[in-house]
Amino acid sequence: MTAIPPGALVPIFVLLVVIALDAWVYTDARERMRRGSPVSVSVGSLRIETPQAWFLGCLILWVVFFPLYLAASGRNPFARSRGQE
């Protein structure tokens, strides 16, 4: 039996991380909607605000929708906090 080369495990690991983050986006968006403060973004005529829309966006085009979700939900880790300059 042939062992799986370590380089083949990297894409599988990345895929699992992306799927886990997609699940987190869905549960976070669902909880925010339940509390009455949905995460909402409008780009032209496109409006994204339901947990399902965020999940599908992240699933299809993660590199765009995941950072967009972080910014729209106020969880942008790269934003400077107020008062620090």
Side-chain angles (χ1 to χ4, degrees):
M1 191 162 154
T2 307
I4 298 174
L9 295 177
V10 172
I12 293 170
F13 177 73
V14 169
L15 181 63
L16 290 174
V17 169
V18 167
I19 290 173
L21 288 172
D22 290 350
W24 174 81
V25 164
Y26 175 76
T27 57
D28 188 62
R30 187 179 64 198
E31 180 62 25
R32 287 172 179 260
M33 181 170 271
R34 186 187 67 76
R35 285 185 278 150
S37 59
V39 179
S40 179
V41 170
S42 293
V43 179
S45 63
L46 177 66
R47 184 166 181 85
I48 305 164
E49 64 182 349
T50 66
Q52 297 84 359
W54 280 113
F55 178 77
L56 286 175
C58 286
L59 192 64
I60 294 168
L61 197 56
W62 185 83
V63 73
V64 172
F65 281 88
F66 185 70
L68 185 62
Y69 181 80
L70 291 177
S73 66
R75 296 179 186 245
N76 185 352
F78 303 107
R80 293 178 68 171
S81 62
R82 293 180 185 153
Q84 290 182 344
E85 296 196 29

